[in-house]
Amino acid sequence: MKELKILYLYPDILELYGDFGNIQVLKYRLEKRGFKAIIEPYSIGDTPPNFCDYDLVFAGGGADQEQGILAQDLITYKENIKQAVDNGTFFLLICGAYQLFGKYYKGVEGNKIPGLEIFDYYTEAIADRKKRCIGNIVIEANLNGKQTKIIGFENHGGQTFDIDTPFGSVLFGNGNKFGDTKEGFFLDNVIATYLHGPLLSKNPELTDYIIKYCLDRKYDEDIILEPLDDEFENKCREQLLDRFLTNNK
């Protein structure tokens, strides 16, 4: 039986908006197709993981305080994480985790949380705590040459700068900062985004993009994923897209 090994980072700390749902969706869509999903959580004090041993690494969102706590632990794995990224391990990073993979995160009081510096972007919070990029968001992303609409929910005061390869173009919502035209950060094996929701439950095509990438890389073949019955999910998506994109014009 083919399998994927998934490292779930800091599930007790980075779980701000139901991001655990992303793990549940990955597991469900793998098992429905006869693949095995091995989910291994890691948090502070656990046995150190080797990031290169995993097919997929997932980390969710957290507030400033949580980021400050775990950043000290995460930075000890900086070289191992960079090696895993370079080797093609897939990383799905939501909100706070997205920020920590950049150069730094500067908080409201001016405190600077050092990032892993895996990527060149950086994030700075707006001084006014009441001003946040918050609400539903729709972006258009290119997944294997196909333009795909991605639906999510954003809630961040941090404004992220110096993104050369965004996850997608903003159709509705803010994106990396207030009024931005771009959202997130994207490489073949890295998706870093502000989209909560959880993200994958609203976007079956995105989930399957990640699954196929990981399976193809691990087994060195072009795996054809068996179609699943996404009628209910797609009807929900149609309703949301109509509400956000049509009724708000």
Side-chain angles (χ1 to χ4, degrees):
M1 176 187 291
K2 288 182 170 66
E3 64 182 35
L4 288 183
K5 193 174 179 183
I6 301 172
L7 178 61
Y8 182 11
L9 291 177
Y10 309 105
D12 56 336
I13 301 174
L14 296 179
E15 222 286 290
L16 194 58
Y17 296 102
D19 292 319
F20 173 58
N22 292 310
I23 292 290
Q24 293 175 302
V25 171
L26 285 163
K27 184 174 185 292
Y28 172 81
R29 294 186 75 83
L30 280 165
E31 292 181 346
K32 288 290 286 186
R33 294 177 166 114
F35 303 118
K36 185 177 181 181
I38 301 173
I39 315 294
E40 295 187 359
Y42 167 78
S43 198
I44 297 172
D46 292 345
T47 302
N50 182 350
F51 286 77
C52 296
D53 288 344
Y54 294 89
D55 305 299
L56 170 62
V57 177
F58 171 74
D64 291 11
Q65 182 178 359
E66 286 80 6
Q67 285 180 244
I69 293 171
L70 67 89
Q72 300 173 43
D73 181 71
L74 189 63
I75 206 164
T76 63
Y77 301 107
K78 177 177 177 177
E79 293 306 317
N80 187 217
I81 291 172
K82 188 177 188 305
Q83 182 182 11
V85 170
D86 291 343
N87 288 347
T89 296
F90 200 98
F91 283 75
L92 177 59
L93 311 168
I94 309 295
C95 199
Y98 167 21
Q99 296 170 348
L100 288 174
F101 271 64
K103 289 181 177 179
Y104 65 85
Y105 172 80
K106 187 177 180 180
V108 174
E109 284 80 21
N111 56 305
K112 187 177 287 189
I113 300 172
L116 292 171
E117 299 181 309
I118 306 297
F119 307 115
D120 290 334
Y121 58 78
Y122 63 94
T123 304
E124 297 186 352
I126 295 175
D128 186 348
R129 292 181 181 274
K130 296 180 180 180
K131 292 184 178 180
R132 301 183 64 82
C133 298
I134 182 169
N136 295 300
I137 179 171
V138 181
I139 68 172
E140 189 164 64
N142 188 322
L143 302 178
N144 286 333
K146 181 181 179 182
Q147 295 299 115
T148 305
K149 290 182 175 62
I150 309 295
I151 304 171
F153 182 86
E154 60 179 339
N155 185 356
H156 57 102
Q159 310 288 286
T160 299
F161 301 86
D162 282 3
I163 296 290
D164 293 327
T165 55
F167 180 28
S169 300
V170 177
L171 302 179
F172 177 77
N174 285 290
N176 284 320
K177 47 190 179 291
F178 278 112
D180 205 346
T181 59
K182 304 297 180 182
E183 200 287 324
F185 174 83
F186 184 52
L187 294 177
D188 287 342
N189 62 312
V190 178
I191 292 176
T193 177
Y194 280 115
L195 274 61
H196 294 279
L199 170 65
L200 298 184
S201 64
K202 298 176 181 176
N203 301 286
E205 283 188 74
L206 175 60
T207 313
D208 287 351
Y209 169 84
I210 296 171
I211 288 173
K212 178 171 170 54
Y213 171 92
C214 294
L215 288 170
D216 286 354
R217 172 180 174 269
K218 181 165 190 172
Y219 294 101
D220 193 25
E221 57 181 288
D222 184 11
I223 292 176
I224 306 300
L225 295 181
E226 174 190 345
L228 298 181
D229 182 4
D230 293 326
E231 182 180 5
F232 178 77
E233 289 86 346
N234 287 330
K235 284 185 176 180
C236 290
R237 281 175 52 80
E238 289 172 11
Q239 291 290 320
L240 290 174
L241 290 172
D242 182 64
R243 182 188 308 170
F244 302 151
L245 301 182
T246 304
N247 295 336
N248 282 279
K249 285 185 177 180

